Amino acid sequence: MRLFVQGLFVSACLAGSPCGAMADDHFARDPQQPVDQAYTAKIAKYTTQTDFNSPLTDYLPASNTVPTPEIVLGDVAGAPNMLPYAEDVYRYFRLLEKSTPRVKVFTIGHTEEGREMIAVAVADEALIKDLDANKARLAQLADPRTLGMDDARAAAIVKQTTPVYYITATIHSTETGSPTSVMELAYRLAIDDASYIRYIRSHVITLITPVVEVDGRDRMVDLYRWHRAHPNDNYPPLMYWGHYVAHDNNRDAMGVTLDLTKNVLDTYVGWHAQVLHDLHESVPFLYDNTVGDGPYNAWIDPILTGEWQQLGWNNIEQMTKFGMPGVFTHGDFDTWSPGYLMFIAAMHNGISRLYETFGNDGADTVERILDPDQYARTWYKPNPPLPKVLWSQRDNNNYTQTGLLTALDYFAQNGQKYLTNFWLKSRNSIEKPQLAGPAAYVLPADDTHPGAQAELLRVLAKQHVELSRADAAFSAQAPAQGEPRPAKDKQPTEPPQAKTSARSFPAGSWIVRMDQPYSRIADTLLDRQYWAPDDPQKHPYDDTGWSFGDLFGTAVVRIADPAILKVPMRNAEAPRQPAFSVTGLGVNGKLPRIAILHTWLDTQTEGWWRMALDKLGVKYEYISTQSVAREKNLRGKYDAILFGPIGGADANDIVDGLPTYGNPMPWQKTALTPNLGRIDSTPDIRPGLGQAGLANLKRFVADGGLLITSEDTAKFAIDVGLAPGVSVTPHGNVRVVGSVLRAEVVDKDNPIARGYDGSFAMYSAHGQSFEVSNLVGGDKGLPRADKFSRPTGRGGPHDADIPEGRAYAAPPPLPEAKPWQALPLNVEQERNNPLVIPAADRPEVIVRWADANDLLISGLLEHGETMAQRAAVVQAHYGRGRVLLFANNPLWRGETVGSYALVLNALTAAAK
């Protein structure tokens, strides 16, 4: 009997009925609607296995008036060997808009390079006509104050309102499949008469941004075209995605420094959408990381965690019922950092979602061999991916569209619930002072760093946070200043007994009230974070700490007492002055001739340095290690060279570059690749700095130039001999993952430390620190007091060993030094020693890391004693020039404004 039923099912599939429909007629297509047979045949042709498709996407309905994606692509969505430029994608959506009243296209902004970004609304004609009125109703749900916080009034509006599901595609440029996925998805949503799609169309406004990183998309299409023209050659990686950064563009949702982030944020908030669903590509075959793994972000509304579970697991259930292997959720992605694009929704009372669909970094159909951990069966992956698979871009499109269609179906069926939840989360945000607290944050008007404070307020304003200013001086109960920190082994009490005292604030102080709709994002950015070292999640996905007041170097006071809300205040726009500029950050003086140096290994992290200087209005030339190899007189052109972090590179990588096997790998603007080579270009990315370049760089410093380095480039400078007397502290077992740590100024008279007094916060990616010595090559086991251990002999462990037969001769005391200091040398060690660095050329420690008990401000820190009190910012001398070494990254993601002045001070000093 069982075999008979299975035979009937297979026969039905072969006869042309949608496979899976017998299992669930809910998703059956409309038998009265004609099918585009030619397009459907190509879907089958390009799908490499039948179970890599579903009854939702194994056909395409036909229309006499609405064009399919083929009109622009020349083939079906997901076809092999073809990637469309962003303009081609846009052209198709505008053709849709012209051919059906169910589609409307909006320009939502432009990129740093001037390319357009769009959003496309798809819904029934009546809903499209009602978009403005629907937005107005959603605005009332988004701000419950407009309805007097009245649940009954909100319930009435919910019944009249259509929710918005916002889909964003291709923020990561090497993840190439989603633009064609959403092209075909939009066609289906507009044309298909299957009952479930008709229901989606009449109950959900689907909003689509088909290309988020437009600059990078066009470069990726160029690169793929080069690959297709040279099929037997190695092709370069995508050296530049956006104008500034690559993968990190999906870490900008806190600082909102990139145009793409601002455009998506403004669109999401402007439409008052309920969901932001970001499409990515990586692991096989579809990972819905909506559910994710712990720890969850501590500031999200608890309602959201339930929504994640509902949407995520329903997606997996439906796709598994279709027989599609390798679909799973949960996984190991922690949902802690709010820096991801999708988290715009989580921080603005919506639902954040993300897919990772398997992709080939292009449109080739290739055999993929998976790693064991990818095809292993786990409790959350009971139907894992296949160990070896022939995978196509059409397979990718099938999975992505099937996931989205099942998600939209479930969302449509539960739209009223999610609108109600949207209201409740917005209401909870406004009631925050009476619930979890705090009541407000205060940024004092007498802050000693007004430029940094102004920039922080502008970031909050970009997040659509409401700002207020006090009309007069006031006092409030604030955390007590100067409270002794608990001993390292003392556990906090539950609930915490925070001590407060009255604190006075001057008139004009900024107040960020927590009784507002977007209090959640303000609280997330301004509060501090703590990741327990023994947390079950041992591999944080991204930074664990980000407290913006600390990183910006400006005072932010958390006020728990709701009485603060009664202080007379007025609504205020974010300040325009001081401007975000060199002088605005309190740095004065002439700037030198500057170059920013990059490798052809990776341009991501140094891109944040370019962006920081551009936003500050600092002029510079952009040069590569290959340029340095060709230019013998760097000092004749530049006073300072900034060599920002690369990301895990060592000296050999920087000097040697990539192996030169095979063909050159160009990055140039040509007729075939018109979007490459605009930021920088080379006929071959493989050569590195080389010995000639290293000699030129050393000559630049020796002739009086300033080289500024950070993290791995600081280690490079040390390893090649540009920083005599400096070494990287052995890492030991210190554990830091993108944390905010406390630093202390050591040399207050050094011009690089100008404007810094005492302790301040610095970002640390991995807990790097330095040791300094008065000897080239380091101390190498020189005796020192803190390392002395007595030999075997007479007496107890603390007694002197007195030899027999002569009077005792007391030895001279052994030298002592703090962890950040160089060990003093005695005359014996200095005598005729060519390794002794002259006093004027010895490395200067400008900033050190704080004591172990004071080191952590926000994030994760374990075994901090390894780096505690060690040097963090060091100025080394080489010839007549200087090398400035940062153990931290001072220009990171637009979030570390508080350490910008260290770099700017060094630059102004170099101009003198």
Side-chain angles (χ1 to χ4, degrees), residues 245-420:
V245 296
H247 193 274
D248 253 15
N249 59 10
N250 194 36
R251 303 296 186 272
D252 188 49
M254 289 188 283
V256 197
T257 63
L258 303 175
D259 289 345
L260 66 83
T261 313
K262 183 179 184 301
N263 295 338
V264 171
L265 170 59
D266 289 348
T267 302
Y268 178 83
V269 173
W271 282 73
H272 307 290
Q274 282 60 64
V275 177
L276 177 53
H277 192 151
D278 200 25
L279 303 180
H280 289 250
E281 294 176 14
S282 62
V283 297
F285 292 138
L286 188 144
Y287 172 34
D288 181 342
N289 81 357
T290 299
V291 175
D293 197 5
Y296 282 1
N297 181 279
W299 293 265
I300 61 171
D301 192 301
I303 294 173
L304 175 58
T305 64
E307 294 172 319
W308 280 339
Q309 306 291 328
Q310 296 156 13
L311 287 160
W313 287 111
N314 180 267
N315 246 186
I316 305 313
E317 177 190 356
Q318 297 301 335
M319 295 184 73
T320 302
K321 286 161 66 174
F322 294 141
M324 303 178 81
V327 180
F328 66 101
T329 190
H330 184 69
D332 58 3
F333 171 79
D334 69 73
T335 313
W336 175 251
S337 170
Y340 313 110
L341 188 77
M342 66 163 178
F343 235 74
I344 287 171
M347 293 287 98
H348 293 82
N349 303 320
I351 304 169
S352 54
R353 302 203 69 206
L354 188 148
Y355 284 168
E356 297 277 8
T357 311
F358 204 34
N360 291 337
D361 291 351
D364 290 2
T365 299
V366 295
E367 183 179 78
R368 301 292 299 275
I369 300 173
L370 275 58
D371 293 335
D373 64 332
Q374 293 180 308
Y375 59 76
R377 182 173 60 85
T378 68
W379 70 265
Y380 58 83
K381 198 191 300 182
N383 184 9
L386 308 177
K388 186 170 72 171
V389 60
L390 183 68
W391 190 259
S392 70
Q393 186 164 248
R394 183 64 218 187
D395 297 332
N396 167 283
N397 282 202
N398 293 338
Y399 269 77
T400 299
Q401 285 189 71
T402 299
L404 288 171
L405 287 168
T406 58
L408 287 167
D409 172 68
Y410 183 79
F411 185 74
Q413 298 292 333
N414 295 278
Q416 297 287 290
K417 178 180 77 172
Y418 289 120
L419 282 172
T420 300

Side-chain angles (χ1 to χ4, degrees), residues 33 76 161 227 307 356 381 452 495 570 580 638 659 791 802 863:
Q33 186 174 29
V76 305
T161 304
H227 160 62
E307 294 172 319
E356 297 277 8
K381 198 191 300 182
R570 63 189 185 280
F580 189 60
Y638 313 115
I802 301 175
H863 303 299

Side-chain angles (χ1 to χ4, degrees), residues 368-532:
R368 301 292 299 275
I369 300 173
L370 275 58
D371 293 335
D373 64 332
Q374 293 180 308
Y375 59 76
R377 182 173 60 85
T378 68
W379 70 265
Y380 58 83
K381 198 191 300 182
N383 184 9
L386 308 177
K388 186 170 72 171
V389 60
L390 183 68
W391 190 259
S392 70
Q393 186 164 248
R394 183 64 218 187
D395 297 332
N396 167 283
N397 282 202
N398 293 338
Y399 269 77
T400 299
Q401 285 189 71
T402 299
L404 288 171
L405 287 168
T406 58
L408 287 167
D409 172 68
Y410 183 79
F411 185 74
Q413 298 292 333
N414 295 278
Q416 297 287 290
K417 178 180 77 172
Y418 289 120
L419 282 172
T420 300
N421 286 354
F422 180 65
W423 157 267
L424 291 174
K425 288 181 288 186
S426 300
R427 191 192 67 185
N428 290 346
S429 293
I430 294 170
E431 293 177 342
K432 193 171 182 50
Q434 290 76 40
L435 299 175
Y441 287 90
V442 177
L443 284 70
D446 56 358
D447 196 292
T448 56
H449 298 105
Q453 183 190 75
E455 184 63 11
L456 176 54
L457 290 164
R458 288 190 284 265
V459 171
L460 293 173
K462 284 191 284 188
Q463 293 281 4
H464 297 262
V465 172
E466 299 169 1
L467 305 174
S468 303
R469 298 198 79 173
D471 293 331
F474 66 96
S475 64
Q477 289 294 315
Q481 295 178 296
E483 277 292 307
R485 294 185 180 89
K488 185 178 178 182
D489 58 352
K490 184 178 180 181
Q491 295 298 314
T493 58
E494 292 292 345
Q497 303 298 314
K499 293 184 179 181
T500 62
S501 61
R503 180 170 172 182
S504 297
F505 298 96
S509 291
W510 295 86
I511 300 175
V512 183
R513 302 173 64 103
M514 291 292 101
D515 57 346
Q516 60 168 297
Y518 301 136
S519 63
R520 199 167 306 282
I521 181 62
D523 194 20
T524 303
L525 297 182
L526 300 179
D527 205 354
R528 288 177 172 173
Q529 301 76 42
Y530 180 73
W531 184 299

Side-chain angles (χ1 to χ4, degrees), residues 145-166:
R145 296 171 301 184
T146 62
L147 298 176
M149 307 290 285
D150 189 330
D151 289 345
R153 293 176 66 187
I157 290 177
V158 164
K159 292 178 180 179
Q160 307 169 39
T161 304
T162 304
V164 178
Y165 197 108
Y166 187 19

